[in-house]
Short mmCIF file of all heavy atoms in Angstrom, two decimals:
data_model
loop_
_atom_site.label_atom_id
_atom_site.label_comp_id
_atom_site.label_asym_id
_atom_site.label_seq_id
_atom_site.Cartn_x
_atom_site.Cartn_y
_atom_site.Cartn_z
N ASN A 16 262.49 84.92 -25.14
CA ASN A 16 262.62 83.49 -25.44
C ASN A 16 261.23 82.86 -25.60
O ASN A 16 260.20 83.54 -25.50
CB ASN A 16 263.45 82.77 -24.37
CG ASN A 16 262.79 82.76 -23.00
OD1 ASN A 16 261.58 83.03 -22.87
ND2 ASN A 16 263.56 82.45 -21.97
N ALA A 17 261.21 81.55 -25.83
CA ALA A 17 259.94 80.86 -26.10
C ALA A 17 258.97 80.96 -24.93
O ALA A 17 257.75 80.90 -25.12
CB ALA A 17 260.21 79.40 -26.44
N GLY A 18 259.51 81.12 -23.74
CA GLY A 18 258.65 81.24 -22.55
C GLY A 18 258.22 82.66 -22.26
O GLY A 18 257.57 82.91 -21.25
N GLY A 19 258.62 83.60 -23.13
CA GLY A 19 258.24 84.99 -22.94
C GLY A 19 259.16 85.78 -22.04
O GLY A 19 258.87 86.94 -21.72
N LYS A 20 260.27 85.18 -21.61
CA LYS A 20 261.21 85.89 -20.75
C LYS A 20 262.03 86.88 -21.57
O LYS A 20 262.52 86.56 -22.65
CB LYS A 20 262.15 84.90 -20.05
CG LYS A 20 263.16 85.57 -19.13
CD LYS A 20 264.13 84.56 -18.53
CE LYS A 20 265.16 85.26 -17.66
NZ LYS A 20 266.17 84.31 -17.10
N GLN A 21 262.19 88.06 -21.04
CA GLN A 21 262.95 89.10 -21.73
C GLN A 21 264.45 88.84 -21.59
O GLN A 21 264.95 88.52 -20.51
CB GLN A 21 262.61 90.48 -21.15
CG GLN A 21 263.13 91.65 -21.97
CD GLN A 21 262.76 92.97 -21.32
OE1 GLN A 21 262.96 93.16 -20.12
NE2 GLN A 21 262.21 93.89 -22.10
N LEU A 22 265.16 88.98 -22.70
CA LEU A 22 266.61 88.76 -22.75
C LEU A 22 267.29 90.01 -23.27
O LEU A 22 266.68 90.80 -24.01
CB LEU A 22 266.94 87.58 -23.66
CG LEU A 22 266.21 86.26 -23.42
CD1 LEU A 22 266.53 85.27 -24.52
CD2 LEU A 22 266.60 85.69 -22.05
N GLY A 23 268.56 90.18 -22.94
CA GLY A 23 269.35 91.28 -23.48
C GLY A 23 270.36 90.73 -24.47
O GLY A 23 271.47 90.34 -24.09
N CYS A 24 270.00 90.71 -25.75
CA CYS A 24 270.89 90.13 -26.76
C CYS A 24 270.45 90.58 -28.14
O CYS A 24 269.40 91.22 -28.30
CB CYS A 24 270.90 88.60 -26.67
SG CYS A 24 269.29 87.85 -26.96
N LEU A 25 271.26 90.24 -29.13
CA LEU A 25 270.91 90.47 -30.53
C LEU A 25 270.60 89.13 -31.18
O LEU A 25 271.17 88.10 -30.82
CB LEU A 25 272.07 91.15 -31.27
CG LEU A 25 272.49 92.53 -30.76
CD1 LEU A 25 273.64 93.07 -31.60
CD2 LEU A 25 271.32 93.51 -30.78
N SER A 26 269.71 89.16 -32.16
CA SER A 26 269.33 87.94 -32.87
C SER A 26 270.25 87.72 -34.06
O SER A 26 271.00 88.60 -34.48
CB SER A 26 267.88 88.04 -33.37
OG SER A 26 267.79 89.04 -34.38
N GLU A 27 270.16 86.52 -34.63
CA GLU A 27 270.95 86.20 -35.82
C GLU A 27 270.62 87.15 -36.96
O GLU A 27 271.50 87.60 -37.70
CB GLU A 27 270.69 84.75 -36.23
CG GLU A 27 271.73 84.18 -37.17
CD GLU A 27 273.11 84.10 -36.53
OE1 GLU A 27 273.22 83.73 -35.34
OE2 GLU A 27 274.10 84.43 -37.22
N ASN A 28 269.33 87.45 -37.11
CA ASN A 28 268.93 88.38 -38.18
C ASN A 28 269.52 89.77 -37.98
O ASN A 28 269.87 90.45 -38.96
CB ASN A 28 267.40 88.47 -38.24
CG ASN A 28 266.76 87.22 -38.82
OD1 ASN A 28 267.42 86.44 -39.50
ND2 ASN A 28 265.47 87.02 -38.56
N GLN A 29 269.62 90.19 -36.74
CA GLN A 29 270.21 91.51 -36.48
C GLN A 29 271.69 91.55 -36.84
O GLN A 29 272.16 92.54 -37.41
CB GLN A 29 270.03 91.87 -35.00
CG GLN A 29 268.61 92.26 -34.63
CD GLN A 29 268.49 92.60 -33.17
OE1 GLN A 29 268.58 91.72 -32.30
NE2 GLN A 29 268.30 93.87 -32.84
N PHE A 30 272.42 90.48 -36.53
CA PHE A 30 273.83 90.45 -36.90
C PHE A 30 273.99 90.49 -38.41
O PHE A 30 274.89 91.18 -38.94
CB PHE A 30 274.51 89.20 -36.32
CG PHE A 30 274.84 89.31 -34.86
CD1 PHE A 30 274.27 88.44 -33.94
CD2 PHE A 30 275.72 90.28 -34.40
CE1 PHE A 30 274.58 88.54 -32.59
CE2 PHE A 30 276.02 90.39 -33.05
CZ PHE A 30 275.45 89.51 -32.14
N THR A 31 273.15 89.76 -39.13
CA THR A 31 273.21 89.77 -40.59
C THR A 31 272.93 91.17 -41.13
O THR A 31 273.64 91.68 -42.00
CB THR A 31 272.18 88.78 -41.17
OG1 THR A 31 272.49 87.47 -40.68
CG2 THR A 31 272.22 88.77 -42.69
N TRP A 32 271.87 91.80 -40.59
CA TRP A 32 271.51 93.16 -41.00
C TRP A 32 272.63 94.14 -40.71
O TRP A 32 272.99 94.99 -41.55
CB TRP A 32 270.23 93.57 -40.27
CG TRP A 32 269.76 94.98 -40.56
CD1 TRP A 32 269.02 95.40 -41.60
CD2 TRP A 32 270.03 96.14 -39.75
NE1 TRP A 32 268.79 96.77 -41.51
CE2 TRP A 32 269.40 97.24 -40.39
CE3 TRP A 32 270.73 96.35 -38.56
CZ2 TRP A 32 269.46 98.54 -39.86
CZ3 TRP A 32 270.79 97.64 -38.05
CH2 TRP A 32 270.16 98.72 -38.70
N LEU A 33 273.23 94.03 -39.52
CA LEU A 33 274.28 94.96 -39.11
C LEU A 33 275.50 94.85 -40.03
O LEU A 33 276.06 95.87 -40.46
CB LEU A 33 274.68 94.68 -37.66
CG LEU A 33 275.78 95.58 -37.09
CD1 LEU A 33 275.32 97.05 -37.06
CD2 LEU A 33 276.17 95.11 -35.69
N GLU A 34 275.91 93.63 -40.33
CA GLU A 34 277.07 93.45 -41.22
C GLU A 34 276.80 94.06 -42.59
O GLU A 34 277.66 94.71 -43.19
CB GLU A 34 277.41 91.96 -41.35
CG GLU A 34 278.06 91.38 -40.12
CD GLU A 34 279.46 90.86 -40.40
OE1 GLU A 34 280.19 91.46 -41.23
OE2 GLU A 34 279.82 89.85 -39.79
N GLU A 35 275.59 93.85 -43.08
CA GLU A 35 275.23 94.41 -44.39
C GLU A 35 275.27 95.93 -44.36
O GLU A 35 275.79 96.56 -45.28
CB GLU A 35 273.84 93.91 -44.79
CG GLU A 35 273.39 94.39 -46.16
CD GLU A 35 272.01 93.88 -46.53
OE1 GLU A 35 271.55 92.88 -45.95
OE2 GLU A 35 271.37 94.52 -47.39
N ILE A 36 274.73 96.51 -43.30
CA ILE A 36 274.72 97.97 -43.17
C ILE A 36 276.14 98.52 -43.07
O ILE A 36 276.53 99.46 -43.79
CB ILE A 36 273.88 98.40 -41.95
CG1 ILE A 36 272.40 98.11 -42.16
CG2 ILE A 36 274.10 99.88 -41.62
CD1 ILE A 36 271.76 98.89 -43.28
N LEU A 37 276.94 97.95 -42.16
CA LEU A 37 278.28 98.49 -41.92
C LEU A 37 279.19 98.34 -43.12
O LEU A 37 280.07 99.18 -43.36
CB LEU A 37 278.90 97.82 -40.68
CG LEU A 37 278.23 98.14 -39.34
CD1 LEU A 37 278.94 97.41 -38.20
CD2 LEU A 37 278.21 99.64 -39.07
N SER A 38 279.00 97.28 -43.89
CA SER A 38 279.84 97.08 -45.08
C SER A 38 279.64 98.18 -46.11
O SER A 38 280.50 98.40 -46.97
CB SER A 38 279.56 95.71 -45.70
OG SER A 38 278.24 95.65 -46.22
N ASN A 39 278.50 98.88 -46.02
CA ASN A 39 278.21 99.97 -46.96
C ASN A 39 278.45 101.35 -46.36
O ASN A 39 278.10 102.36 -46.97
CB ASN A 39 276.75 99.87 -47.43
CG ASN A 39 276.50 98.67 -48.31
OD1 ASN A 39 277.25 98.40 -49.24
ND2 ASN A 39 275.46 97.91 -48.00
N LEU A 40 279.04 101.38 -45.16
CA LEU A 40 279.27 102.67 -44.49
C LEU A 40 280.74 102.93 -44.21
O LEU A 40 281.09 103.70 -43.32
CB LEU A 40 278.50 102.69 -43.16
CG LEU A 40 276.98 102.68 -43.23
CD1 LEU A 40 276.38 102.60 -41.82
CD2 LEU A 40 276.46 103.92 -43.95
N THR A 41 281.60 102.32 -44.99
CA THR A 41 283.03 102.42 -44.71
C THR A 41 283.59 103.82 -44.92
O THR A 41 284.69 104.13 -44.45
CB THR A 41 283.82 101.42 -45.56
OG1 THR A 41 283.47 101.62 -46.95
CG2 THR A 41 283.50 99.98 -45.17
N ASP A 42 282.85 104.67 -45.61
CA ASP A 42 283.31 106.04 -45.84
C ASP A 42 282.70 107.03 -44.85
O ASP A 42 282.86 108.24 -45.02
CB ASP A 42 282.98 106.47 -47.28
CG ASP A 42 281.47 106.43 -47.56
OD1 ASP A 42 280.76 105.68 -46.87
OD2 ASP A 42 281.03 107.14 -48.48
N LYS A 43 282.01 106.53 -43.82
CA LYS A 43 281.36 107.41 -42.86
C LYS A 43 281.81 107.09 -41.44
O LYS A 43 282.25 105.98 -41.14
CB LYS A 43 279.84 107.27 -42.94
CG LYS A 43 279.24 107.78 -44.26
CD LYS A 43 277.73 107.72 -44.19
CE LYS A 43 277.12 108.27 -45.48
NZ LYS A 43 275.64 108.27 -45.43
N LEU A 44 281.67 108.09 -40.56
CA LEU A 44 281.85 107.86 -39.14
C LEU A 44 280.52 107.33 -38.60
O LEU A 44 279.47 107.93 -38.82
CB LEU A 44 282.23 109.16 -38.43
CG LEU A 44 282.45 109.05 -36.92
CD1 LEU A 44 283.66 108.17 -36.60
CD2 LEU A 44 282.64 110.44 -36.30
N VAL A 45 280.58 106.18 -37.90
CA VAL A 45 279.37 105.52 -37.41
C VAL A 45 279.26 105.67 -35.90
O VAL A 45 280.22 105.45 -35.16
CB VAL A 45 279.38 104.02 -37.80
CG1 VAL A 45 278.20 103.29 -37.16
CG2 VAL A 45 279.34 103.86 -39.31
N LEU A 46 278.06 106.05 -35.45
CA LEU A 46 277.72 106.05 -34.03
C LEU A 46 276.73 104.93 -33.80
O LEU A 46 275.69 104.88 -34.45
CB LEU A 46 277.08 107.38 -33.62
CG LEU A 46 277.83 108.67 -33.96
CD1 LEU A 46 277.03 109.88 -33.50
CD2 LEU A 46 279.22 108.68 -33.34
N LEU A 47 277.04 104.01 -32.89
CA LEU A 47 276.14 102.91 -32.57
C LEU A 47 275.41 103.21 -31.28
O LEU A 47 276.04 103.54 -30.27
CB LEU A 47 276.91 101.60 -32.44
CG LEU A 47 276.02 100.37 -32.18
CD1 LEU A 47 275.44 99.86 -33.49
CD2 LEU A 47 276.79 99.27 -31.47
N MET A 48 274.09 103.08 -31.29
CA MET A 48 273.28 103.28 -30.08
C MET A 48 272.55 101.99 -29.74
O MET A 48 271.87 101.40 -30.59
CB MET A 48 272.29 104.43 -30.28
CG MET A 48 271.43 104.71 -29.05
SD MET A 48 270.50 106.28 -29.11
CE MET A 48 269.39 105.99 -30.50
#
């Protein structure tokens, strides 16, 4: 966060990236780490 505290979460950009990636992987088995 703005104060430098570490958080456990995903950002808005990550959700956008993930949706874009997964929409192109519908013919594959996906493992999420």
Side-chain angles (χ1 to χ4, degrees):
N16 65 16
K20 180 184 178 182
Q21 191 181 49
L22 309 172
C24 61
L25 298 180
S26 68
E27 197 64 40
N28 287 341
Q29 286 180 290
F30 282 118
T31 301
W32 178 84
L33 180 63
E34 287 242 35
E35 182 180 339
I36 291 296
L37 293 180
S38 66
N39 292 312
L40 294 175
T41 53
D42 60 336
K43 293 185 178 182
L44 180 65
V45 174
L46 307 179
L47 183 82
M48 181 167 65

